[in-house]
Amino acid sequence: AAPVAAPAVAPAAGAVDIVKAYRERIDNLYKQHNPSKLGEVDKLMEKYKGQEHTLYLKICKKYNASVEAEIKADVAASAPATGGLFGASAQGLTPSPLSVSSGGGGFFGASA
C-alpha cells in the first residue's frame, strides 16, 4: 500500500492507533477476500471516521470473516492495561497503594 500522509494536526495518540489498527484489519480482509477493493479503503475510512469498528463489522459480515475484538482507546494506549506497580489500571491515573485492582499485578495488586 502507498504511504499515507500524516495530518497537519495530529489527533490524540490513542485515536491514531485505533484508526491505524482498523485500517490494517480492513486491508487484510480485502487482501484475503476482495483485493480489488483495496483502493477504496481510504474513502471508506473517511466515511466511517469515528465508527471504524462499525465499518470493520460490516466488512467481516459481508465476507463471513471471523471478527476480532473491538479496539478501544485505553487498550490501544502504549501503557500496560493489567496494572502497574500498585495494581492500578493504566488509564492516565496515578497509581495508589489504596487502589483496588480487579485484574491486577504489581506488588499491592495481587489477590489473596
Side-chain angles (χ1 to χ4, degrees), residues 31-80:
K31 284 176 189 172
Q32 192 173 27
H33 298 284
N34 193 351
S36 66
K37 292 277 192 178
L38 283 167
E40 298 177 25
V41 176
D42 285 333
K43 185 185 276 187
L44 287 170
M45 294 297 289
E46 185 62 34
K47 180 178 178 182
Y48 284 87
K49 191 172 187 173
Q51 300 176 341
E52 291 83 6
H53 187 68
T54 300
L55 172 62
Y56 171 71
L57 290 175
K58 287 182 176 193
I59 296 169
C60 286
K61 184 176 181 180
K62 181 174 183 172
Y63 296 107
N64 198 25
S66 59
V67 176
E68 294 180 52
E70 181 175 0
I71 303 167
K72 298 188 181 197
D74 58 350
V75 175
S78 61

Side-chain angles (χ1 to χ4, degrees), residues 2-38:
V4 178
V9 177
V16 172
D17 293 341
I18 292 170
V19 172
K20 184 177 179 181
Y22 276 114
R23 171 66 192 240
E24 289 174 7
R25 285 184 180 185
I26 292 166
D27 280 347
N28 289 333
L29 282 169
Y30 280 138
K31 284 176 189 172
Q32 192 173 27
H33 298 284
N34 193 351
S36 66
K37 292 277 192 178
L38 283 167

